[in-house]
Amino acid sequence: GLGLTGAMAYSIYELRHPEEQFEPDPSKKTLVILGTGWGSVSLLKKLDTENYNVIVVSPRNYFLFTPLLPSCTTGLIEHRSIMEPIRNILRQKKATVKFFEAEATKIDYEKRVVYISDDSEIKGDISHTEVPFDMLVIGVGAENATFGIPGVRENSCFLKEVNDAQNIRKRVMDCVETAMFKDQTPDEVKRLLHMVVVGGGPTGVEFAGELQDFFNDDLKKWIPEIQDNFHVTLVEALPNVLPMFSKQLIDYTESTFKEEEITIRTKTMVKNVTDKYIEAEVTNPDGSKAIETIPYGLLVWATGNAVRPVIRDLMGQIPAQKNSRRGLAVNEYLVVNGAENIWAVGDCAITNYAPTAQVAGQEGAFLARLFNTMAKTDAIEKELQHLSDNQSQAKSNDERNEILDEIRERQKQLRRTKQIGPFQYSHQGSLAYIGKERAVADISWLSGNIASGGTLTYLFWRSAYLSMCFSSRNRVLVAVDWIKARLFGRDVSR
Ligand code: NAD
């Protein structure tokens, strides 16, 4: 058995060996892409990789389908169902693309070098090095905003990455099982079963809805003792939740939450967090303010994005970025202002659009088109140069005219390819699941809002997500998870 495995491994190694030997082609530019999120991956998918020496750097060797991440917190969907290995995407490209699983710790704009560091558990002899670039695309996203509020980082769960969802899943069950511990006091049971979500944007709303579903569909049937005390509260500083949706959809969400018995606390701004309670400033209807203490078992912090340190550092190196606060200011071709040959996509770039997956995806696709065109333009220009050399050496008039025709044709081609307009976002609509098999949708191409509940919107939400899920493999996995939960309920093991 061992011999056969050995032989197989050897033959695979032999087969792959030539490909693995990635020698950068000196005639091509080196294009470094940072990140494996919505922006970078949609660029990679559409990029003609044979035009550049392409190198991808990311601490995550997979793409994560973030819209379904809230469903992972309750075990409705298994996290691996919404992960797509980056290697799987890269092996489908025509030319070899290098991938380094590492974090970009510093971008030196003057030297045109990215410093990278292997932050995984296992490290080889080399774990810090540098990657030089001719062209750089930054798609590293953002980190969780905490606004410097004390205790947030230490005590709350975020909802951005796979391990965040896993933490929440474990923590919910931990709270439930601890509340059921022998001789627990009634107050402590209440606290442990109080699930508090801070931030009434789509992340907070979707998570609160999924968690309440979990309770209604499974938890309260399996552990009826928690029935009277399990409670979800959504805390929002502004006067209403989902500020990006229309008034009608906000009202619909708020009334659905009321039916579901999720408490929404608006005009409530969290100022301090300890391991057992949050302190919030509440604005009363008469305008007066009061500080309130709210005990919790689970705290999920979903208050939006903040700039990553590596981006802040780069902004400090570029004078044109001095007045930018929320991220890299870019021009209409997504070029980082004041930095030649550096582009930015997704949540680390500041455009006129909200920091959503849809925007990042379209930006990535736009850059792919831009880079493909640039390569084509270069190729035509080279040919033109070659043709005009030939023309001056032509022996007969006939030959010269023939070349001239060819030159005109190439020039026409060049004008056509050069006509690539600036990036324009085309909004396809917003969709948010709000629990109880209901979703809110504002679909721009239907020129109106759909705020409906029940099976139809729910099915629409589901089919929309299934058709968006990247690979057919992911589609199958997510569908199976849904069926599994229908048949057997969610898995409540910790
Ligand atoms: P967000 O920025 O949209 O919302 C954060 C909310 O937290 C705000 O309403 C803010 O007022 C509130 N907040 C901030 N500090 C607070 C405090 N101390 N106390 C109480 N409340 C506080 O964040 P998000 O929901 O993570 O979304 C981020 C981006 O991703 C947005 O652009 C959003 O549109 C997008 N997104 C879209 C979907 C979807 O379309 N279904 C889902 C998730 C995220």
Side-chain angles (χ1 to χ4, degrees), residues 147 149 198-199 201-203 206 236-238 244 268-270 303-304 355 431:
F147 308 102
I149 296 168
V198 180
T203 306
E206 289 191 321
E236 167 57 52
L238 297 175
M244 63 287 293
T268 305
M269 184 185 276
V270 178
T303 64
L431 198 57

Side-chain angles (χ1 to χ4, degrees), residues 78-275:
E78 293 296 338
H79 61 275
R80 292 220 171 245
S81 305
I82 58 166
M83 291 158 72
E84 189 180 4
I86 199 72
R87 301 286 184 183
N88 198 20
I89 297 169
L90 296 185
R91 78 192 173 105
Q92 287 162 26
K93 302 306 294 186
K94 261 204 209 130
T96 311
V97 174
K98 263 269 162 221
F99 173 73
F100 300 130
E101 192 187 70
E103 194 182 319
T105 50
K106 187 183 169 69
I107 298 162
D108 192 322
Y109 158 61
E110 294 270 331
K111 280 209 230 157
R112 290 203 182 169
V113 162
V114 181
Y115 295 88
I116 66 169
S117 160
D118 177 3
D119 62 354
S120 61
E121 262 168 55
I122 297 173
K123 289 187 182 60
D125 285 344
I126 307 240
S127 58
H128 298 270
T129 186
E130 45 188 80
V131 180
F133 63 84
D134 299 310
M135 297 156 73
L136 177 69
V137 176
I138 308 176
V140 299
E143 57 179 37
N144 296 290
T146 64
F147 308 102
I149 296 168
V152 174
R153 244 171 234 295
E154 299 85 326
N155 300 302
S156 55
C157 302
F158 297 116
L159 189 43
K160 209 173 199 33
E161 302 289 347
V162 164
N163 67 322
D164 295 331
Q166 288 171 307
N167 278 345
I168 293 175
R169 185 175 176 180
K170 279 193 207 128
R171 179 106 196 190
V172 171
M173 290 321 299
D174 205 358
C175 284
V176 170
E177 300 296 3
T178 308
M180 293 298 95
F181 194 76
K182 189 166 178 293
D183 302 333
Q184 208 70 274
T185 64
D187 275 355
E188 188 64 351
V189 170
K190 237 190 168 85
R191 175 185 78 81
L192 286 163
L193 295 177
H194 191 202
M195 312 281 141
V196 174
V197 185
V198 180
T203 306
V205 166
E206 289 191 321
F207 170 67
E210 293 271 0
L211 186 55
Q212 187 67 33
D213 279 357
F214 182 26
F215 173 69
N216 288 334
D217 298 346
D218 301 308
L219 274 179
K220 78 172 174 200
K221 293 178 193 152
W222 296 35
I223 316 163
E225 303 99 294
I226 65 171
Q227 181 129 351
D228 296 333
N229 290 310
F230 188 94
H231 195 86
V232 180
T233 299
L234 181 64
V235 177
E236 167 57 52
L238 297 175
N240 57 263
V241 298
L242 294 181
M244 63 287 293
F245 282 90
S246 68
K247 172 93 176 55
Q248 184 202 358
L249 292 178
I250 290 170
D251 290 347
Y252 183 78
T253 306
E254 291 183 347
S255 68
T256 298
F257 270 25
K258 198 171 242 158
E259 282 174 43
E260 286 178 274
E261 295 180 330
I262 297 173
T263 304
I264 298 183
R265 302 280 314 257
T266 53
K267 297 188 186 172
T268 305
M269 184 185 276
V270 178
K271 296 263 168 139
N272 187 38
V273 174
T274 75
D275 60 347

Side-chain angles (χ1 to χ4, degrees), residues 1-17:
L2 206 69
L4 184 62
T5 330
M8 268 166 65
Y10 183 71
S11 70
I12 287 166
Y13 176 75
E14 271 214 316
L15 251 170
R16 294 188 58 96
H17 194 65

